[in-house]
Amino acid sequence: MTRTLLLLLIAFALFCSCNAQKDEADADRIVIKEGSYRAEVNLDNVDPTMKGYHATSQISFGFEKNNTFIYKVRAMGREIDDLGKWEVRGDSLFIFDLERGPNTAFKLEWIGEDQYSIKGPNHFILTREDAVETIKQ
């Protein structure tokens, strides 16, 4: 009887411990709101010969509800668009199944209201853009 009671207490303690860890992990998880984001390249570690290109680029990331990812770059008279999927897992943003580009993972950090830092092959600061309402005539 005491063994059974002791086993039940140990099982209960393990259960409570696992739930507490899960709650902490959920609290640390970053959630990106769906929508369009202006992406600015952090120029701190960019090659000096490429700084002008990155500084004048207009880059946007779109995060749609169905996990569709939209990437747009306008720079020096060129336009590059790509479409794929996105997912947040823990503190990482994964962009995959792109039509043109490679699968990429970024370390995701929340900076402030509707603003994120993503660090991977490039370091971007994402700022959510207000939705543009269609003008009805």
Side-chain angles (χ1 to χ4, degrees), residues 130-137:
D130 292 330
V132 178
E133 292 184 30
T134 304
I135 300 173
K136 297 180 182 179
Q137 296 182 10

Side-chain angles (χ1 to χ4, degrees), residues 69-88:
F69 175 75
I70 303 166
Y71 175 70
K72 295 181 181 181
V73 177
R74 307 291 179 261
M76 302 179 117
R78 297 191 71 204
E79 296 181 5
I80 301 170
D81 295 346
D82 209 349
L83 194 64
K85 297 288 184 185
W86 69 279
E87 180 180 350
V88 174

Side-chain angles (χ1 to χ4, degrees), residues 1 8 30 33 51 62 64 73 75-77 81 90 92 95 97 101 136:
M1 178 72 173
L8 285 173
I30 299 172
K33 293 180 185 176
K51 282 189 178 186
E64 302 294 321
V73 177
M76 302 179 117
D81 295 346
S92 298
I95 299 171
D97 291 343
K136 297 180 182 179

Side-chain angles (χ1 to χ4, degrees), residues 8-79:
L8 285 173
L9 286 173
I10 291 171
F12 181 71
L14 286 172
F15 175 76
C16 290
S17 174
C18 290
N19 277 344
Q21 289 176 352
K22 182 182 175 200
D23 292 342
E24 288 174 13
D26 288 345
D28 292 342
R29 184 171 184 259
I30 299 172
V31 176
I32 293 181
K33 293 180 185 176
E34 290 88 6
S36 181
Y37 288 80
R38 181 175 25 98
E40 294 179 27
V41 178
N42 182 322
L43 300 174
D44 292 344
N45 296 319
V46 172
D47 183 297
T49 61
M50 296 298 293
K51 282 189 178 186
Y53 177 80
H54 287 296
T56 59
S57 298
Q58 295 176 342
I59 306 168
S60 69
F61 288 10
F63 299 98
E64 302 294 321
K65 287 184 180 182
N66 61 356
N67 286 63
T68 298
F69 175 75
I70 303 166
Y71 175 70
K72 295 181 181 181
V73 177
R74 307 291 179 261
M76 302 179 117
R78 297 191 71 204
E79 296 181 5

